[in-house]
Amino acid sequence: MRQVTWSLCAILCLSIWDVGTCQSGKPVPRKRRASDEDGKKCSYTFLIPQQKITGPICASSTGPEPDKDRVTRMDIADVREVLSKQRREIETLQLVVDVDGNLVNEMKLLRKESRNMNSRVTQLYMQLLHEIIRKRDNSLELAQLENRVLNVTAEMLRLAARYKDLESRYSAMASLVNNQSVLINALEEQCMRTYSRHEPPVVPPLVQVVPENLPVNNHFTNEIQRNHNRAFPRGSRKDSSPTEGPFGFPLPPQVNYSSEGPFRDCYQVRQAGHTSSGIYLLKPDGSDRLIQAWCEHGLDNGGWTVFQRRKDGSVNFFRNWENYKKGFGNIDSEYWLGLENIYNLGKQRDYRLLVELEDWVGKKVYAEYSSFHLEPENEFYKLRLGTYQGNAGDSLTSHNGKQFTTLDRDKDAFSGNCAHFHKGGWWYNACGQTNLNGVWYSGGVYRSKFQDGIFWADYGGGFYSLKSVRMMIRPID
């Protein structure tokens, strides 16, 4: 800019210098200029090269260089002042920018912390929500448990009330039995007095009593080691009753039971591939009803149909004809299959009979007969037996060909009723050498006016009541 100013000043100076020399080319003093102007005026044309102006043009017509220098320094001072001011503003702005940058960084940090805080708050909220849900579930479970406890308590109270009711009923029945026992004794004494006036009473002859030499060395080779239930006193009863099976028959609890079938007999059950002893459905040929029976498969290759069992005295066998015809008892404990069912089974084919006896020292013996069947009801289920073999002694052959006798149907060969003296139903003779449906006495040797225990004369005698007895049949091989 200073160079442009100096160029303009130089051009002005040259123009002034050339005014007096327009005619002759010589310089004319300034004092003669006025006279010359009165005569003739000169004109000049200046050609100034075009320059690109990049800054302010300073022109002064008052004087030479001192004024120009003064103006330039003032401009420079102003410019410098402006520049200083702008520099201060720039520094101020830089400070503001720095401060704003720090604020921005702080805002970023605050935003990051805010996001972290939001995540933490969300996590805490989810944990709180989960805890609330868990506590609610716990409350529901607690309520369910309380309901169960209340239900169980109500059931216990109901059972306790029922138990008390059963106790009262049992007491009433016990009193009735005692009264009946007293009445029976009184009647027996009255009968004895009546007989003593006229003739001595007729009592059945006692069977031969085996003195002290119970066989202890003979071993039943085909025996099954089983855990028998504990003995019950005479006349006791189990409280549990059998449940119902799928066909409406009583089903003992916790006993192997098969719903397959029905089968003709337990031998067919064995042929069908069943090897577990238990309860099976049978339907003999010619019979119109299903029956349940215990099939014994653990003895002599299995296939035995058990139709009579005594083991703990839980069932009363002193019953009438109709009971012995249809059957009674619990299949997993003591039971009688029924004369009609035994008859239907025996008429299908040729069967053999096995009688298993156990004494009170745990020894088992047996008596086997080569053939077995019953006559129909119009023959009062007369017994038909084959030849004997075994180690228990033959106490049943003397009953061969005899009709079945109960308290209400006397078909024995004795003048009185053997069922009355022996307290059971059997193929009595007069009265006989065995009484497997008699009274179950605990301990073996028993004391009774008559021989009414479960005895086998050739093994223990008439006053030794056996611990357990089983009678079973299987087709002849």
Side-chain angles (χ1 to χ4, degrees):
M1 183 177 181
R2 181 176 291 182
Q3 290 178 357
V4 174
T5 304
W6 280 106
S7 298
L8 291 175
C9 291
I11 293 171
L12 290 174
C13 291
L14 288 176
S15 63
I16 296 171
W17 177 261
D18 288 338
V19 170
T21 58
C22 60
Q23 294 292 330
S24 61
K26 293 181 182 181
V28 181
R30 292 181 70 87
K31 62 182 182 179
R32 295 178 60 186
R33 186 174 180 181
S35 60
D36 292 337
E37 290 177 355
D38 297 333
K40 187 177 181 180
K41 295 180 180 180
C42 294
S43 61
Y44 300 91
T45 303
F46 299 96
L47 297 176
I48 299 173
Q50 186 177 2
Q51 295 182 359
K52 186 176 180 180
I53 299 173
T54 60
I57 299 175
C58 298
S60 180
S61 60
T62 60
E65 211 163 334
D67 291 336
K68 182 168 88 170
D69 292 339
R70 181 173 57 82
V71 172
T72 301
R73 281 194 295 270
M74 291 176 62
D75 293 337
I76 290 172
D78 294 336
V79 170
R80 286 178 178 175
E81 185 178 356
V82 171
L83 290 175
S84 299
K85 185 177 180 181
Q86 291 179 351
R87 189 178 295 110
R88 288 191 300 271
E89 292 178 354
I90 289 172
E91 290 176 354
T92 303
L93 291 175
Q94 185 67 34
L95 292 175
V96 173
V97 169
D98 293 339
V99 172
D100 291 341
N102 294 331
L103 292 175
V104 169
N105 292 331
E106 291 179 359
M107 287 297 295
K108 289 181 179 179
L109 292 175
L110 289 175
R111 287 181 180 178
K112 185 176 181 180
E113 291 179 358
S114 177
R115 287 194 296 269
N116 295 334
M117 187 63 66
N118 290 334
S119 299
R120 180 60 178 168
V121 169
T122 303
Q123 183 179 2
L124 292 175
Y125 175 75
M126 294 302 294
Q127 291 179 356
L128 180 60
L129 182 61
H130 178 72
E131 187 70 18
I132 292 173
I133 294 174
R134 187 179 65 82
K135 288 185 177 180
R136 186 186 64 182
D137 295 338
N138 291 337
S139 300
L140 293 176
E141 292 179 358
L142 182 60
Q144 293 176 356
L145 289 176
E146 289 178 351
N147 291 331
R148 291 179 182 176
V149 170
L150 292 176
N151 293 334
V152 171
T153 304
E155 184 69 17
M156 290 178 62
L157 294 175
R158 187 182 67 82
L159 291 176
R162 184 178 178 184
Y163 178 74
K164 291 181 179 179
D165 181 61
L166 290 176
E167 280 188 340
S168 61
R169 292 172 62 185
Y170 176 78
S171 300
M173 293 180 65
S175 300
L176 179 62
V177 169
N178 292 331
N179 294 333
Q180 289 180 349
S181 299
V182 172
L183 180 60
I184 290 173
N185 291 331
L187 290 174
E188 287 181 349
E189 292 178 358
Q190 184 179 359
C191 289
M192 293 294 292
R193 288 193 298 268
T194 303
Y195 279 121
S196 62
R197 294 176 184 176
H198 301 83
E199 58 183 10
V202 179
V203 296
L206 300 179
V207 301
Q208 180 184 1
V209 177
V210 177
E212 301 172 354
N213 53 351
L214 287 177
V216 293
N217 295 324
N218 296 331
H219 183 67
F220 183 33
T221 56
N222 291 332
E223 75 180 52
I224 306 168
Q225 297 298 331
R226 299 170 58 98
N227 292 326
H228 294 282
N229 295 335
R230 64 179 296 273
F232 290 85
R234 178 185 177 185
S236 64
R237 299 289 180 267
K238 287 185 178 179
D239 293 334
S240 60
S241 59
T243 56
E244 293 292 326
F247 293 91
F249 301 104
L251 176 61
Q254 299 178 352
V255 174
N256 180 37
Y257 175 80
S258 175
S259 61
E260 296 185 20
F263 303 94
R264 296 176 61 191
D265 52 22
C266 291
Y267 187 74
Q268 189 180 34
V269 173
R270 178 69 177 185
Q271 289 179 330
H274 297 278
T275 59
S276 299
S277 299
I279 302 172
Y280 293 86
L281 288 175
L282 306 180
K283 187 178 184 298
D285 296 339
S287 175
D288 58 351
R289 60 189 296 266
L290 294 172
I291 60 175
Q292 287 180 327
W294 184 277
C295 293
E296 181 58 55
H297 297 305
L299 178 66
D300 192 18
N301 296 324
W304 294 95
T305 303
V306 180
F307 66 84
Q308 188 262 14
R309 178 163 57 190
R310 306 298 301 276
K311 59 184 295 186
D312 53 21
S314 60
V315 176
N316 182 14
F317 273 66
F318 193 25
R319 296 174 180 254
N320 59 18
W321 177 268
E322 194 66 22
N323 290 145
Y324 270 100
K325 175 184 175 180
K326 294 182 178 179
F328 54 86
N330 299 321
I331 299 181
D332 68 323
S333 180
E334 295 191 343
Y335 79 100
W336 175 262
L337 189 59
L339 290 168
E340 187 66 21
N341 296 326
I342 300 171
Y343 163 72
N344 290 327
L345 285 170
K347 73 178 182 179
Q348 297 182 114
R349 60 180 80 180
D350 295 332
Y351 286 85
R352 56 185 174 133
L353 172 66
L354 177 64
V355 181
E356 181 188 80
L357 311 173
E358 182 183 8
D359 59 23
W360 286 91
V361 296
K363 179 177 174 50
K364 290 183 179 180
V365 294
Y366 74 100
E368 185 175 357
Y369 295 86
S370 60
S371 65
F372 169 85
H373 72 274
L374 301 181
E375 299 292 343
E377 185 179 10
N378 56 11
E379 292 291 333
F380 299 98
Y381 301 109
K382 186 180 294 184
L383 176 64
R384 298 298 182 183
L385 288 176
T387 58
Y388 160 82
Q389 66 173 357
N391 60 359
D394 185 11
S395 296
L396 192 59
T397 299
S398 61
H399 297 262
N400 188 22
K402 300 301 182 288
Q403 296 174 339
F404 201 85
T405 294
T406 59
L407 184 64
D408 54 341
R409 292 198 184 184
D410 185 7
K411 299 298 177 182
D412 54 49
F414 182 60
S415 59
N417 189 334
C418 293
H420 168 73
F421 295 101
H422 290 285
K423 303 297 187 298
W426 195 251
W427 297 276
Y428 291 113
N429 188 350
C431 284
Q433 299 295 306
T434 181
N435 186 39
L436 300 186
N437 287 340
V439 179
W440 187 88
Y441 288 101
S442 176
V445 178
Y446 64 96
R447 297 179 61 184
S448 176
K449 184 181 298 186
F450 306 107
Q451 292 174 326
D452 54 2
I454 303 173
F455 67 85
W456 187 271
D458 288 274
Y459 188 77
F463 284 101
Y464 184 88
S465 184
L466 297 167
K467 180 180 180 181
S468 66
V469 176
R470 289 196 301 178
M471 301 180 69
M472 60 194 87
I473 59 174
R474 188 177 72 177
I476 300 174
D477 298 333

